[in-house]
Amino acid sequence: MKILISVKRVIDPYVKIRIKQDNRGVETQNVKMSMNPFDEIAVEEALRLREQGVASEVILVSIGKDDSQETLRHGLALGADRAIHVHTEKSFESLNIAKILQKVVDDIQPQLVLMGKQSIDGDNNQTPQMLASLLDWPQATFASSIQVEGDKLSVTREIDGGLETIKVTLPAIVSTDLRLNEPRYASLPNIMKAKRKSIDKIELNELNLTLKQHVEVLNVKAPPARSGGVRVESVSELVNKLKHEAKVLG
Amino acid sequence: MSVLILVEHDNKEIHPSTKNVLSAALTMGKKPTLLIVGSQCNNVALQAATLKGVEAVWQVDNAVYEHQLAENVSKVVAELADSFQIIMGGSSTFGKNILPRVAALLDVAQVSDVTAIIDEHTFEHPIYAGNAIEKVKVLDEKKVLTIRTTAFEPVAMEQEACCVERINHVVPLTKTQFVRHELSASSRPDLGSASIIVAGGRGLQNAEHFKMIEQLADVLGAAVGASRAAVDAGFAPNDYQVGQTGKVVAPVLYIAVGISGAVQHLAGMKDSKVIVAINKDEDAPIFQIADYGLVGDLFEIVPQLIQELDSART
């Protein structure tokens, strides 16, 4: 089967973000960027399915500016076969991203689309569900285990209070949770090989989509700061303060 | 402006988060309709009808909705959404699974994890693991929202039961099949709604030591949480995880034991009213947000704390 994976270029998870002076967003100039961690898990799962002989081709797609190609190149170095870059200078809300991905799915005809459960910048956790909805495909969100059973996938999902296992008929959308796997590192020979793999660049306007703006960002601000606390010296001082000062213990 | 709330439940009991979502809806000034999609869920409908501020309860009851899978539940919600401007639910794994699918069916945006409702078009929600708050205006006529329940006080009072309307509507499931649930058994309060949480991190070193956290939780009547490091190391099951990729909690008291305070963990608990940190590393980032910090060896401090609380109790 062909597996399509959507990957997003985001600020590296270990970077402390800075809010822009004009409160219009978060500073991304001269900030270390990387592949969204949940997307790396999706790439890893696809590569494992290819190693098991289940997947025949692993194709990456990313939507964004030219620097998205760096993220795609990283995915190719991990072992993906080829990549598609949908070029646009604009950024879009989840629904429009899902509509762009729907066009790519129509074109590629994968049996499985693997996506991160959320990107760590917007934290929305929407695009996989929206894409599944637009395609009228089944979805298995927050996957922590995937088994292929003929034309079905058995997927264990992380839900509040435990785990749930469902079976979905392919083609399907699966969104990855943290515990699905541990992504590999790119090896040097693979980084060299990745340079020769192809990235197809498509201009967004070639896809003949009419995308309407659904959301306007009014401002971005820092969360309210917590006031500095105090150090206590002993357990009895702590219990005493919790009882009489904070009044949170009876 | 009318509001439809998709109710989370297990076919027997209404999920407590419904009271917080209801409270978010009431801030917009109109009584919402509660939608219950399930199988043999009369009891849930009866409970919903007595929640303060509920206008009406719609119950869509059929065996096909037993496990509330996203594929058909989202269609039911979208098809019943005609006369509503706002469709909302809690931002639990239940709400997050279904509501984006509803939004796409309606061809509208969805706002995730709403923490403040400015007006019926304008909402705030955290981005970048809670390190920034984004204020958005939704341009669509209809809005689909998931509500961060800890940002809204639950409705407290009950009312005379409002009317429950049973709607006969069947969307068959064709491509998805429920197999099984494995729920973690616990007699402690639910992590999402507990007023006290005791959480352990990598500092506990192993699963055996993690039991100390459970003992401390039991003397306090608290829920147990864990950092991602503790879960990944196998000290605690994954549904204990507090953080950006686990549960977001805001109890009255949060006690972090052996947790350094990585950004990903802080995103899940920094809205707690009072934070206590117990850590041997005095430079651990957790101390920057803790109201009370105790530097020292947790293997000495926690047993002392258990003893002190236990003797105070008896």
Side-chain angles (χ1 to χ4, degrees):
Chain A
M1 72 167 93
K2 264 197 272 190
I3 302 181
L4 182 72
I5 302 143
S6 67
V7 295
K8 186 177 185 185
R9 183 178 167 82
V10 297
I11 294 183
D12 188 273
Y14 297 100
V15 169
K16 190 167 167 51
I17 58 142
R18 275 178 298 125
I19 291 163
K20 282 185 185 166
Q21 294 266 311
D22 63 1
N23 286 94
R24 305 296 292 175
V26 167
E27 191 56 71
T28 53
Q29 292 287 319
N30 300 318
V31 172
K32 186 179 180 224
M33 306 292 281
S34 53
M35 184 187 282
N36 180 42
F38 291 102
D39 302 349
E40 276 194 313
I41 293 171
V43 173
E44 176 65 32
E45 197 64 18
L47 296 175
R48 291 185 187 188
L49 289 170
R50 196 184 59 193
E51 284 154 9
Q52 288 166 25
V54 175
S56 51
E57 196 179 21
V58 173
I59 307 158
L60 306 176
V61 56
S62 192
I63 301 162
K65 297 180 190 167
D66 278 331
D67 52 17
S68 306
Q69 293 208 0
E70 270 178 46
T71 309
L72 290 170
R73 202 58 79 183
H74 170 65
L76 292 171
L78 291 170
D81 296 298
R82 63 186 174 99
I84 298 158
H85 171 213
V86 180
H87 176 253
T88 170
E89 294 294 322
K90 281 175 68 180
S91 56
F92 293 99
E93 56 268 66
S94 313
L95 182 59
N96 284 333
I97 294 292
K99 287 181 177 177
I100 297 167
L101 289 174
Q102 185 185 11
K103 282 279 185 183
V104 177
V105 168
D106 286 345
D107 185 41
I108 301 285
Q109 302 270 315
Q111 281 76 55
L112 175 61
V113 180
L114 275 171
M115 307 170 76
K117 77 164 176 181
Q118 68 190 62
S119 63
I120 58 163
D121 49 3
D123 282 340
N124 285 314
N125 195 329
Q126 299 172 355
T127 315
Q129 295 89 316
M130 286 177 163
L131 178 61
S133 184
L134 294 173
L135 291 163
D136 199 20
W137 284 12
Q139 70 184 38
T141 49
F142 329 134
S144 59
S145 151
I146 300 173
Q147 306 286 329
V148 181
E149 296 175 6
D151 66 340
K152 290 188 166 68
L153 287 184
S154 171
V155 181
T156 301
R157 308 177 52 232
E158 298 202 5
I159 58 167
D160 298 334
L163 300 170
E164 175 186 270
T165 303
I166 58 171
K167 233 176 240 187
V168 292
T169 306
L170 295 169
I173 309 280
V174 174
S175 79
T176 61
D177 216 323
L178 269 180
R179 264 163 293 275
L180 181 59
N181 60 48
E182 197 158 321
R184 69 193 65 188
Y185 292 98
S187 66
L188 190 60
N190 280 343
I191 294 171
M192 301 309 288
K193 253 193 270 176
K195 295 193 172 150
R196 292 194 303 273
K197 290 180 183 170
S198 75
I199 297 180
D200 288 333
K201 184 169 168 178
I202 303 169
E203 291 299 328
L204 178 61
N205 56 25
E206 289 169 25
L207 293 177
N208 292 320
L209 273 168
T210 359
L211 298 175
K212 175 177 118 189
Q213 188 187 356
H214 295 271
V215 175
E216 185 189 345
V217 176
L218 300 179
N219 66 53
V220 174
K221 61 183 185 194
R226 289 190 76 94
S227 56
V230 295
R231 295 285 166 94
V232 293
E233 297 302 323
S234 69
V235 167
S236 34
E237 188 187 348
L238 175 64
V239 173
N240 190 38
K241 286 211 188 274
L242 289 178
K243 276 185 180 157
H244 302 113
E245 192 177 277
K247 297 189 166 59
V248 290
L249 283 185
Chain B
M1 207 269 321
S2 52
V3 180
L4 183 70
I5 296 177
L6 176 64
V7 172
E8 180 170 359
H9 63 91
D10 62 0
N11 294 317
K12 295 181 194 81
E13 299 284 327
I14 197 162
H15 194 277
S17 64
T18 309
K19 293 181 181 175
N20 307 73
V21 179
L22 178 55
S23 144
L26 291 171
T27 63
M28 285 183 281
K30 193 144 183 255
K31 290 178 154 192
T33 298
L34 265 49
L35 172 62
I36 294 158
V37 185
S39 172
Q40 302 188 339
C41 52
N42 282 334
N43 193 40
V44 180
L46 292 176
Q47 289 174 357
T50 58
L51 291 178
K52 176 97 174 169
V54 175
E55 173 79 13
V57 173
W58 290 2
Q59 183 187 357
V60 185
D61 201 318
N62 190 285
V64 296
Y65 306 122
E66 188 182 353
H67 300 289
Q68 300 165 54
L69 297 174
E71 288 74 3
N72 59 353
V73 174
S74 59
K75 284 187 182 156
V76 176
V77 180
E79 285 165 21
L80 295 177
D82 259 1
S83 55
F84 298 93
Q85 276 82 57
I86 295 192
I87 297 108
M88 59 163 73
S91 66
S92 57
T93 50
F94 168 80
K96 285 175 175 171
N97 191 37
I98 295 173
L99 287 166
R101 220 174 149 116
V102 172
L105 287 170
L106 298 169
D107 197 26
V108 300
Q110 192 235 290
V111 185
S112 293
D113 277 320
V114 170
T115 47
I117 295 169
I118 311 299
D119 61 40
E120 61 195 78
H121 311 287
T122 318
F123 312 97
E124 285 186 354
H125 72 139
I127 56 173
Y128 286 95
N131 289 303
I133 309 289
E134 185 180 71
K135 189 194 277 186
V136 294
K137 184 175 174 193
V138 179
L139 309 172
D140 298 310
E141 194 82 1
K142 266 192 209 310
K143 280 93 181 162
V144 181
L145 314 173
T146 61
I147 302 295
R148 176 167 289 189
T149 49
T150 53
F152 297 89
E153 289 287 319
V155 291
M157 305 284 290
E158 302 223 324
Q159 65 175 13
E160 288 271 307
C162 66
C163 101
V164 176
E165 190 181 336
R166 289 191 70 143
I167 298 171
N168 227 333
H169 190 77
V170 181
V171 182
L173 267 180
T174 52
K175 298 170 185 165
T176 313
Q177 187 193 336
F178 172 84
V179 181
R180 66 175 173 271
H181 268 146
E182 294 153 65
L183 301 178
S184 357
S186 171
S187 54
R188 298 191 186 92
D190 181 58
L191 194 54
S193 52
S195 62
I196 304 180
I197 294 171
V198 183
R202 208 202 311 257
L204 284 146
Q205 296 173 356
N206 60 44
E208 194 56 36
H209 291 153
F210 198 87
K211 289 191 181 135
M212 247 169 33
I213 298 299
E214 297 178 344
Q215 284 168 19
L216 179 56
D218 290 342
V219 285
L220 287 163
V224 177
S227 69
R228 186 183 157 196
V231 171
D232 283 350
F235 304 172
N238 62 31
D239 52 308
Y240 280 19
Q241 188 184 318
V242 172
Q244 186 188 10
T245 53
K247 283 202 182 71
V248 175
V249 299
V252 177
L253 174 59
Y254 190 90
I255 305 180
V257 181
I259 293 176
S260 64
V263 174
Q264 113 86 33
H265 185 75
L266 300 187
M269 47 65 82
K270 68 180 166 44
D271 293 329
S272 307
K273 188 161 166 265
V274 174
I275 297 172
V276 171
I278 299 170
N279 206 300
K280 65 170 192 253
D281 174 11
E282 60 180 294
D283 296 322
I286 190 84
F287 287 120
Q288 290 164 19
I289 65 152
D291 299 280
Y292 300 105
L294 183 48
V295 179
D297 182 358
L298 67 91
F299 295 106
E300 289 168 19
I301 293 171
V302 176
Q304 271 183 45
L305 190 54
I306 292 172
Q307 200 184 6
E308 186 131 347
L309 292 166
D310 209 25
S311 60
R313 203 173 49 164
T314 49

